[in-house]
Amino acid sequence: MSKKILILPGDGIGPEIVAEAVNVINTLREEHGLDVELDEALVGGAAYDAAGHPLPGATLELAREADAILLGAVGGTKWESLDIAVRPEKGLLGLRSALNLFANLRPAILYPQLADASSLKPEIVSGLNLMIVRELTGGIYFGQPRGVRKLESGEKEGYNTLIYKESEVDRIVRVAFDIAQKRDGRVCSVDKANVLECTELWREVAIRASKDYPDIELSHMYVDNAAMQLVKAPKQFDVMVTTNMFGDILSDCAAMLTGSIGMLPSASLDENGKGMYEPIHGSAPDIAGQGVANPLATILSVAMMLRYSLNESAMADRIEKAVEQVLDQGLRTSDIMSDGMQQVGTEEMGSAVIAAMKD
Ligand code: IPM
Ligand code: MG
């Protein structure tokens, strides 16, 4: 039976970059026998405009039925003044939570062709291959109570709750250990155990779970130091595992080490390998509609989808090789442009990947 993929273009540059990724999927269907059906739905600001909610019931239903989801990006200045409950970001957070996509994998790989695009010295980043495993359905993003209340004095007070059950920590650190077993066998768990009880417990659970993984070398780092080490000596890390918010912050930092946030895909998985795949960059409203956005992170997200949810790793390899090939050819979107290279737009980049996939 064919597998179902739900396409959620979203906002800003989302529709442009997702269109290129869909062309890649269609090439695999037509020329390599990939057996999938595609459906498309609205999410984020686009859904709010059309249906009054960033995650309409119809979209959630299709998402539940799908084997995998490809999402572009959500959000934009246009919706920033809306109530937080119906802002575009709620569409994304709602999907993560409703589908229990607790394991967010964010690889940061430096393509040698792009070493010059990094703001760090080439010797610090060359060969970088790091995997950030971010907890995605708990922590301060979802903790209750939360809100803004009025004090007796009349002053307002805002509050959120950082909260993790042992079981939530246990399952995410085990994902990190499983991934490390297929890599260099090293996991650094990032916390703030010197200040926050919640992450003191996180550390305890990580140590306990690691007893089942004698082949894994587990280390611990406070998040402030981890941020510094990422910029100072990023190659010391193999797999990092951390909370929802720390992972949000550290993964943007790691992304930039690779030269451009426009290159990095991500996977958000549930217990059974069902996943939502998205580039880690945002909706970039400043360049939306101009045809200049880099589609490679979205195309590489399709490769992750093939590998983690569709069990088609040979097709995933084909996409990843094609991306390397277009970089070798010197093609660059503006975010990764450097001297002597050929600047191309979104569509040209997408077509070049498809041409390279045929080789
Ligand atoms: C990310 C984004 C999201 C997050 C936003 C858009 C809600 O920054 O996926 O990293 O904070 O998780
Ligand atoms: Mg983020």
Side-chain angles (χ1 to χ4, degrees):
M1 217 175 67
S2 42
K3 296 265 175 87
K4 286 189 182 165
I5 303 179
L6 178 63
I7 307 290
L8 299 175
D11 308 320
I13 58 171
E16 300 160 56
I17 53 180
V18 164
E20 300 310 314
V22 167
N23 287 342
V24 167
I25 296 173
N26 284 332
T27 303
L28 291 171
R29 287 165 87 186
E30 287 153 20
E31 294 174 24
H32 302 281
L34 177 66
D35 187 13
V36 293
E37 277 170 33
L38 305 190
D39 228 321
E40 191 173 314
L42 293 171
V43 74
Y48 177 82
D49 288 348
H53 195 279
L55 181 55
T59 299
L60 184 56
E61 203 169 308
L62 286 171
R64 286 191 199 282
E65 285 165 13
D67 296 290
I69 300 162
L70 181 69
L71 183 136
V74 295
T77 34
K78 181 177 169 199
W79 301 284
E80 264 164 20
S81 56
L82 287 178
D83 186 273
I84 198 164
V86 290
R87 266 190 226 150
E89 289 76 6
K90 277 284 174 202
L92 181 57
L93 296 171
L95 278 169
R96 290 173 179 172
S97 175
L99 303 178
N100 216 0
L101 305 172
F102 70 93
N104 186 211
L105 316 187
R106 299 192 158 188
I109 295 172
L110 181 92
Y111 289 86
Q113 299 90 334
L114 300 181
D116 284 345
S118 175
S119 48
L120 296 193
K121 296 194 192 92
E123 63 269 26
I124 301 214
V125 289
S126 67
L128 180 76
N129 183 341
L130 159 73
M131 176 69 94
I132 296 188
V133 178
R134 167 187 177 196
E135 199 291 323
L136 202 61
T137 51
I140 199 165
Y141 270 52
F142 293 95
Q144 295 287 350
R146 62 190 297 155
V148 177
R149 60 189 161 213
K150 197 136 189 201
L151 300 173
E152 270 172 30
S153 64
E155 189 187 7
K156 284 197 278 188
E157 171 178 78
Y159 55 100
N160 289 87
T161 305
L162 172 61
I163 186 161
Y164 273 114
K165 290 196 195 84
E166 288 177 293
S167 53
E168 290 175 287
V169 180
D170 186 74
R171 66 181 182 177
I172 191 72
V173 297
R174 284 175 193 272
V175 168
F177 296 151
D178 288 338
I179 288 173
Q181 281 180 329
K182 296 186 201 118
R183 297 171 47 105
D184 199 34
R186 293 179 296 119
V187 174
C188 178
S189 169
V190 177
D191 60 39
K192 189 72 187 171
N194 52 342
V195 178
L196 304 172
E197 290 83 349
C198 178
T199 68
E200 200 181 8
L201 178 66
W202 173 287
R203 188 178 286 215
E204 238 175 80
V205 175
I207 292 171
R208 198 192 308 149
S210 73
K211 305 283 186 247
D212 292 336
Y213 294 79
D215 50 334
I216 295 294
E217 184 190 315
L218 173 65
S219 61
H220 307 272
M221 204 178 268
Y222 298 142
V223 63
D224 47 352
N225 186 25
M228 182 174 76
Q229 294 299 330
L230 266 179
V231 183
K232 189 174 164 209
K235 283 189 275 181
Q236 69 184 283
F237 298 110
D238 179 26
V239 176
M240 296 174 105
V241 62
T242 191
T243 64
N244 202 341
M245 186 161 74
F246 294 164
D248 178 46
I249 298 165
L250 293 180
S251 62
D252 266 29
C253 175
M256 210 51 224
L257 302 175
T258 70
S260 171
I261 200 166
M263 292 297 298
L264 297 192
S266 76
S268 306
L269 306 174
D270 74 1
E271 302 271 3
N272 308 311
K274 170 169 173 164
M276 180 158 77
Y277 297 82
E278 47 177 317
I280 90 154
H281 58 69
S283 58
D286 51 322
I287 57 163
Q290 297 173 21
V292 298
N294 185 348
L296 293 179
T298 316
I299 290 173
L300 289 167
S301 297
V302 173
M304 285 191 95
M305 174 188 288
L306 290 161
R307 186 164 285 126
Y308 289 101
S309 290
L310 303 178
N311 207 9
E312 295 283 3
S313 54
M315 293 192 200
D317 288 345
R318 182 178 285 276
I319 293 177
E320 286 163 358
K321 284 211 185 82
V323 167
E324 292 245 17
Q325 210 170 308
V326 300
L327 294 176
D328 283 336
Q329 288 161 11
L331 303 187
R332 301 284 187 272
T333 40
S334 59
D335 56 311
I336 48 174
M337 185 58 191
S338 61
D339 278 354
M341 298 295 141
Q342 185 189 341
Q343 189 160 333
V344 295
T346 311
E347 279 180 32
E348 267 175 289
M349 188 58 111
S351 308
V353 172
I354 287 171
M357 281 167 62
K358 297 186 202 286
D359 296 346

